[in-house]
Amino acid sequence: MKIEGIKALRGEIKIPGDKSISHRAVMLGSISKGETTIENVLLSEDTLRTIECFREMGIKIDIDGKENRVRIQGKGIYSLEKPSKPLDCGNSGTTMRLLAGILGGQKFSSTLIGDDSLSKRPMDRIIIPLTKMGVNIKGEENKYPPLRIYPSDELQGIEYELPIASAQVKSSILLASIYSKGRTKVIEKKTTRDHTERMLEYFGQGEFKGKEIYVPGDISSASFFIVGASIIKDSSIVIKDVGINPTRSGIIDVIKAMGGNIRIENIRTINNEPIGDIFVSYSPLKGIELDENIIGRLIDEIPVIAVAAAFAEGTTIIRNAEELKYKETDRIKAMVNELRKMGADIEALSDGLIINGKKSLNPTNMNTYNDHRIAMALSIAALNIMGESKITDTQCVNISYPNFYETMWEILE
Ligand code: S3P
């Protein structure tokens, strides 16, 4: 993909539905009784993996790709059928970790597999608490996929303090607790996204009943355009209907603290999730030190925050973000390597990044490491560099944002 520097980003856009909420809506819809309709659902490679896994277990799910709608005919929490082959989670950590919680409560054996990247990601973080609940789950070297789950006696609720800040681990435990006796309590010292809690509340107590869900736009996908409009002179954009759940909105706080020009209007709540329209225009940014408590609220946005920092005046320091090493690729290494190729002054810490901003960077050839968020962050950087940059393997944006480049071409000037 070739990308040239542009004058501005201008216009009104709508971005696809939230990935985390879409996964959870498909999962809870599949174990509810009756029909669940999910509007504005994200239909990307990751969420399609979740849909396929439930289809494999006998759930009827109709996809309307034109309308971004799925309809699920759920038959209750004990209605899943034994899959005839391993469930393929592809690149999706959310599919594997959350599904393991649900499968732990089933009366059949199952295997969860993933692609090369997912097969290297740590699963002991869910194996340990699920085993404590009585789930019979085994990984390679007790840590990696494939995960093999065997039927077990009744599961027990647990009280568990998360050793690492992870919504995937929290959610895996909460979903297993649906099949457990007694109370489960998960304690998190640092905030992580609370979509599972909100959606469990929305589906109601006792036997879940099918629901209508509207998925807000994904703030993580919006973040690329929030940063783009903040760093590219003369930019001014509106991003409609974005999820602004406080456990996800750290990007807004950080860009504002850096001197960004952002406001949110038309705030309302849809199926227990806050949503609003985000107005962003260019403003010169300053470097800041990120507070350790904000990291969980913007963990997926750090690659694009690094891009904002590379063009800001002064130093940006990001610490307490070691988790970046365990994402689809090592995102600390990836951003240091690629931003350095553009001439940025960026250094890796064991748990983060130090970036000294510069007025301008140079066009170059970049790699995405097949990580969707690295691809989109680098593309935004390229838009703010005069001359032609080249980025290889950009098809990985299909993991979370299949129309990313179409939307980008639409609003650039
Ligand atoms: C997600 C949680 C986060 C995030 C991922 C999606 C979720 O992972 O990075 O993209 O949907 O629960 P961790 O909770 O493991 O940090």
Side-chain angles (χ1 to χ4, degrees):
M1 163 97 44
K2 291 177 186 165
I3 300 181
E4 291 206 24
I6 57 160
K7 286 205 207 87
L9 289 175
R10 297 185 80 86
E12 185 179 297
I13 55 174
K14 200 170 143 62
I15 39 151
D18 187 274
K19 180 156 80 72
S20 295
I21 297 176
S22 298
H23 280 298
R24 287 155 172 82
V26 171
M27 290 184 183
L28 287 187
S30 294
I31 58 168
S32 296
K33 245 197 184 132
E35 182 171 276
T36 287
T37 309
I38 315 172
E39 303 280 353
N40 201 40
V41 65
L42 174 68
L43 295 171
S44 71
E45 283 181 10
D46 266 14
T47 51
L48 288 169
R49 292 288 180 180
T50 294
I51 291 175
E52 278 312 314
C53 287
F54 281 96
R55 281 177 165 170
E56 267 299 312
M57 292 188 282
I59 303 299
K60 187 169 178 299
I61 305 179
D62 294 316
I63 301 177
D64 181 340
K66 255 202 190 136
E67 299 293 330
N68 293 316
R69 177 190 300 131
V70 302
R71 280 188 211 285
I72 305 175
Q73 310 304 328
K75 291 177 288 182
I77 63 168
Y78 291 109
S79 68
L80 300 179
E81 293 164 14
K82 182 176 165 55
S84 59
K85 54 180 198 225
L87 297 168
D88 191 349
C89 306
N91 192 247
S92 175
T94 308
T95 306
M96 185 170 282
R97 296 197 177 110
L98 272 59
L99 198 49
I102 293 177
L103 292 174
Q106 308 304 317
K107 296 289 168 227
F108 53 76
S109 305
S110 52
T111 302
L112 292 167
I113 58 171
D115 69 4
D116 285 351
S117 154
L118 185 54
S119 299
K120 290 188 199 106
R121 294 178 65 186
M123 295 296 150
D124 47 340
R125 55 183 62 195
I126 56 161
I127 293 174
I128 293 167
L130 291 179
T131 303
K132 284 198 170 135
M133 298 175 84
V135 175
N136 196 347
I137 176 170
K138 303 276 175 285
E140 294 293 307
E141 301 165 42
N142 267 328
K143 189 167 180 181
Y144 297 106
L147 296 179
R148 294 191 170 79
I149 301 166
Y150 307 98
S152 41
D153 297 336
E154 197 170 29
L155 308 186
Q156 291 292 330
I158 49 165
E159 182 163 328
Y160 190 71
E161 186 173 318
L162 295 177
I164 38 166
S166 167
Q168 293 182 350
V169 175
K170 171 175 65 177
S171 302
S172 186
I173 299 169
L174 293 178
L175 293 171
S177 80
I178 295 171
Y179 299 93
S180 309
K181 218 173 88 188
R183 198 171 84 134
T184 288
K185 185 172 172 187
V186 184
I187 301 154
E188 57 177 5
K189 290 233 172 87
K190 291 194 173 143
T191 306
T192 67
R193 64 195 67 192
D194 64 358
H195 304 303
T196 305
E197 298 91 304
R198 285 173 186 258
M199 200 172 288
L200 283 171
E201 220 172 77
Y202 182 65
F203 270 85
Q205 297 290 322
E207 176 108 67
F208 303 129
K209 298 242 165 54
K211 287 272 177 200
E212 299 216 334
I213 298 170
Y214 176 88
V215 181
D218 195 323
I219 192 164
S220 297
S221 300
S223 72
F224 301 105
F225 296 112
I226 292 174
V227 168
S230 298
I231 62 175
I232 302 169
K233 276 199 182 126
D234 296 328
S235 294
S236 182
I237 60 167
V238 184
I239 316 173
K240 301 280 285 179
D241 304 333
V242 184
I244 47 168
N245 178 319
T247 64
R248 293 286 297 285
S249 57
I251 177 74
I252 309 267
D253 300 347
V254 161
I255 298 298
K256 273 190 180 163
M258 292 176 84
N261 190 350
I262 305 185
R263 67 175 203 282
I264 305 180
E265 285 183 8
N266 194 17
I267 299 175
R268 65 254 189 232
T269 301
I270 299 185
N271 42 257
N272 241 358
E273 289 281 353
I275 181 169
D277 301 338
I278 303 180
F279 292 70
V280 194
S281 45
Y282 168 78
S283 177
L285 301 183
K286 296 184 301 291
I288 58 163
E289 177 157 3
L290 270 63
D291 187 279
E292 67 174 294
N293 293 313
I294 206 170
I295 299 299
R297 296 177 51 228
L298 47 67
I299 189 72
D300 290 340
E301 287 65 77
I302 293 178
V304 80
I305 289 173
V307 170
F311 291 103
E313 194 192 318
T315 306
T316 295
I317 304 173
I318 303 169
R319 290 185 207 275
N320 302 291
E322 200 192 335
E323 273 299 300
L324 292 176
K325 293 182 179 169
Y326 311 111
K327 297 294 177 188
E328 287 81 331
T329 189
D330 177 341
R331 289 181 174 163
I332 295 181
K333 220 195 227 169
M335 289 313 290
V336 168
N337 289 349
E338 301 313 299
L339 282 175
R340 268 195 190 152
K341 285 189 198 162
M342 301 175 210
D345 179 353
I346 177 168
E347 195 188 312
L349 300 171
S350 61
D351 64 347
L353 296 162
I354 298 189
I355 304 151
N356 292 305
K358 290 192 174 174
K359 280 215 168 73
S360 67
L361 299 177
N362 312 314
T364 182
N365 295 342
M366 297 174 248
N367 299 324
T368 64
Y369 304 79
N370 263 318
D371 180 320
H372 52 134
R373 301 202 196 282
I374 301 295
M376 292 185 272
L378 295 178
S379 299
I380 294 298
L383 289 179
N384 201 32
I385 296 176
M386 283 310 131
E388 186 182 273
S389 301
K390 286 197 188 109
I391 312 182
T392 53
D393 296 325
T394 50
Q395 78 293 335
C396 57
V397 301
N398 290 331
I399 289 292
S400 64
Y401 196 165
N403 291 327
F404 172 73
Y405 288 107
E406 281 87 334
T407 303
M408 188 177 104
W409 304 136
E410 250 171 51
I411 56 168
L412 53 82
E413 282 188 359

